[in-house]
């Protein structure tokens, strides 16, 4: 049953900011606190590494609508990239700087909290759910470094965590909160049924930085160019196509399909652009400062993925120069599909 509105000692309604990720846990945390009579504003800090194609439905807006709360969405791309380039608290198994990322998002939330006169912030974090960022020490560190301290409530696990302001003030009673910890999902699924939350996505998906392939490409880019030299377009290109490192001076990116070919052409910048002439095949970008021999090798690699006839040479158009004003036609033999160099050059483990 819904409680009456909670007010503070001055008689003002108590307000909280709920971080919404589009996942089930953050929706539940917001729903639990709203049901207890607190005014809740949903907040989503959009992240650049969601890796999801533009969906017809927006899971964050869906989640706020299902809970019945207003939503604010904030973009802070430059700071996010800086965190990925220089994390202070290390990374998980991939290039995911989860602790720094949480601290950053909660600092943004802290600003919104001040802005709208809210008293605390809610997250869907669950003690023991994720090895890097959701053990007790990490949760405490994030609360401290985000400057939220005891204004950060994790309603799903609050009964196992140090006391927070909303509990101390009597706005929320611990016994009204669920007792969830660990990696199991059953308690959340049952709670979702209770709150009528449907269509929730699977947990923890969607961050490119935890993916092996993306992380391998990012590590390569940081080590070859230096982290500060990888700009937003560079980060975006790492999510597209097949990547091959031929040498420190030459990397080749080949599109998987027409859509990727178009995106590669659009994001080429000063990279050389390769396209097969008169037959179907991928668009390729060559990054760095390739020698003539490396450019021909890149064309042979591209030709291997084109619809060529066996043992026939392929003509590949190379556009280079700052404005792609120099056109060269390269006639090359496609590399054999089983050429061992291909696996050595490949910068990921997605063998498509
Ligand atoms: S998984 Fe990605 S988005 Fe989530 S906290 Fe870690 S780095 Fe940030």
């Amino acid at each position: 049953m819904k409680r009456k509105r909670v007010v503070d000692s001055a008689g003002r309604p108590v307000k909280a900011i709920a971080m919404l990720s589009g996942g089930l846990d953050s929706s539940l945390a917001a729903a639990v606190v709203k049901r207890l009579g607190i005014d809740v504003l949903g907040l989503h800090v959009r992240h650049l590494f969601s890796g999801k194609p533009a969906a017809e439905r927006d899971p964050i807006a869906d989640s706020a609508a299902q809970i019945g709360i207003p939503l604010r969405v904030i973009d802070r791309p430059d700071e996010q990239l800086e965190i990925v380039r220089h994390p202070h608290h290390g990374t998980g198994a991939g290039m995911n700087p989860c602790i720094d990322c949480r601290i950053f998002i909660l600092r943004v939330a802290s600003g919104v909290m001040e802005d709208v006169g809210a008293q605390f912030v809610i997250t869907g974090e669950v003690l023991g759910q994720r090895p890097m960022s959701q053990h007790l020490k990490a949760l405490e560190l994030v609360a401290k470094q985000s400057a939220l301290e005891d204004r950060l409530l994790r309603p799903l696990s609050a009964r196992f965590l140090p006391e927070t302001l909303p509990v101390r003030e009597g706005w929320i009673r611990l016994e009204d909160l669920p007792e969830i910890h660990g990696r199991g999902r059953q308690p959340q699924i049952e709670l979702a049924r209770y709150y009528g939350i449907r269509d929730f996505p699977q947990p923890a998906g969607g961050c490119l930085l935890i993916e092996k392939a993306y992380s391998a490409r990012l590590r390569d880019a940081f080590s070859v160019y230096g982290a500060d030299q990888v700009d937003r377009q560079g980060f975006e290109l790492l999510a597209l196509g097949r990547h091959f490192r031929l040498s420190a001076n030459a990397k080749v990116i080949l599109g998987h399909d027409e859509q990727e070919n178009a995106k590669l052409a659009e994001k080429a910048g000063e990279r050389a652009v390769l396209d097969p002439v008169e037959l179907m095949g991928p668009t390729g970008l060559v990054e760095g400062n390739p020698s003539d021999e490396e450019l021909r090798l890149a064309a042979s690699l591209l030709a291997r993925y084109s619809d060529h006839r066996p043992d026939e040479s392929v003509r590949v158009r190379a556009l280079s120069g700052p404005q792609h004003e120099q056109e060269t036609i390269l006639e090359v033999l496609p590399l054999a599909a089983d050429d061992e160099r291909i696996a050595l050059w490949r910068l990921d483990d997605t063998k498509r």
Side-chain angles (χ1 to χ4, degrees):
M1 198 176 52
K2 196 177 167 190
R3 297 271 175 81
K4 68 174 193 198
R5 216 171 184 193
V6 175
V7 292
D8 65 11
S9 54
R12 288 170 308 204
V14 174
K15 224 186 254 182
I17 305 297
M19 306 307 300
L20 293 182
S21 66
L24 176 59
D25 293 354
S26 64
S27 300
L28 282 175
V32 164
V33 169
K34 186 190 175 221
R35 186 64 70 99
L36 295 175
I38 309 284
D39 282 4
V40 176
L41 166 66
L43 174 67
H44 177 63
V45 181
R46 219 187 317 252
H47 82 104
L48 292 169
F49 298 95
S50 67
K52 293 173 197 143
E56 271 173 36
R57 287 173 50 196
D58 174 355
I60 314 294
D62 275 1
S63 149
Q66 283 198 59
I67 310 161
I69 58 173
L71 172 67
R72 189 179 285 198
V73 178
I74 290 185
D75 284 300
R76 300 278 286 271
D78 294 343
E79 286 138 291
Q80 279 182 334
L81 293 185
E82 211 35 41
I83 286 167
V84 176
R85 291 185 187 110
H86 303 290
H88 294 296
H89 298 288
T91 60
M95 291 293 274
N96 48 311
C98 291
I99 293 181
D100 294 87
C101 183
R102 303 294 308 160
I103 292 169
F104 165 68
I105 285 170
L106 289 170
R107 281 188 186 154
V108 175
S110 171
V112 176
M113 179 183 81
E114 303 280 333
D115 211 32
V116 303
Q119 287 91 335
F120 64 103
V121 172
I122 310 161
T123 70
E125 288 161 304
V126 169
L127 180 64
Q129 189 179 73
R130 295 202 199 172
M132 181 185 183
S133 58
Q134 295 187 7
H135 57 86
L136 184 60
K137 278 215 160 78
L139 292 177
E140 285 178 344
L141 176 76
V142 168
K144 195 161 187 260
Q145 297 216 351
S146 63
L148 282 168
E149 309 254 8
D150 66 351
R151 287 179 182 268
L152 178 55
L153 177 74
R154 283 100 170 191
L156 304 185
S157 287
R159 294 171 80 156
F160 308 107
L161 297 171
E163 191 181 58
T164 55
L165 178 88
V167 172
R168 201 163 49 251
E169 291 290 328
W171 303 329
I172 284 179
R173 296 185 315 176
L174 274 186
E175 53 270 37
D176 291 332
L177 297 176
E179 288 181 276
I180 301 178
H181 66 89
R183 309 191 74 160
R185 301 295 296 161
Q186 202 50 35
Q188 283 95 318
I189 290 166
E190 281 164 21
L191 206 57
R193 265 193 219 115
Y194 176 76
Y195 282 106
I197 296 176
R198 304 170 310 279
D199 302 334
F200 43 83
Q202 292 307 303
C207 179
L208 285 171
L209 297 168
I210 60 178
E211 286 183 8
K212 274 190 187 169
Y214 190 87
S215 296
R217 297 167 182 189
L218 187 53
R219 272 190 206 104
D220 168 79
F222 282 3
S223 81
V224 175
Y225 311 126
D228 290 323
Q229 303 309 312
V230 182
D231 60 12
R232 182 161 175 179
Q233 199 168 54
F235 278 102
E236 286 169 0
L237 277 173
L238 296 177
L240 295 172
R242 303 173 170 98
H243 289 234
F244 305 86
R245 165 70 56 202
L246 306 189
S247 74
N249 293 325
K251 188 177 101 168
V252 182
I253 309 172
L254 301 178
H256 283 113
D257 51 36
E258 258 182 65
Q259 211 187 357
E260 277 194 348
N261 290 345
K263 283 192 187 161
L264 289 179
E266 187 192 308
K267 294 176 190 295
E270 294 192 3
R271 298 163 184 88
V273 180
L274 306 184
D275 272 305
V277 182
E278 292 148 9
L279 40 92
M280 298 290 288
T283 292
L285 301 186
V286 188
E287 195 167 273
N289 189 17
S291 62
D292 290 349
E293 195 190 331
E294 284 167 335
L295 202 59
R296 288 188 66 79
L297 207 48
S300 296
L301 182 60
L302 176 144
R304 174 254 176 267
Y305 291 98
S306 68
D307 288 342
H308 64 88
R309 292 209 182 137
D311 303 324
E312 275 192 10
S313 63
V314 169
R315 278 151 47 87
V316 175
R317 177 183 296 108
L319 299 177
S320 54
Q323 307 296 324
H324 297 129
E325 68 282 359
Q326 292 161 28
E327 179 180 311
T328 317
I329 302 291
L330 303 160
E331 190 148 346
V332 293
L333 277 175
L335 291 184
D338 60 357
D339 190 315
E340 287 174 0
R341 290 173 297 175
I342 297 177
L344 291 174
W345 291 331
R346 192 90 188 241
L347 280 175
D348 56 54
D349 57 1
T350 49
K351 306 287 184 199
R352 288 209 271 157

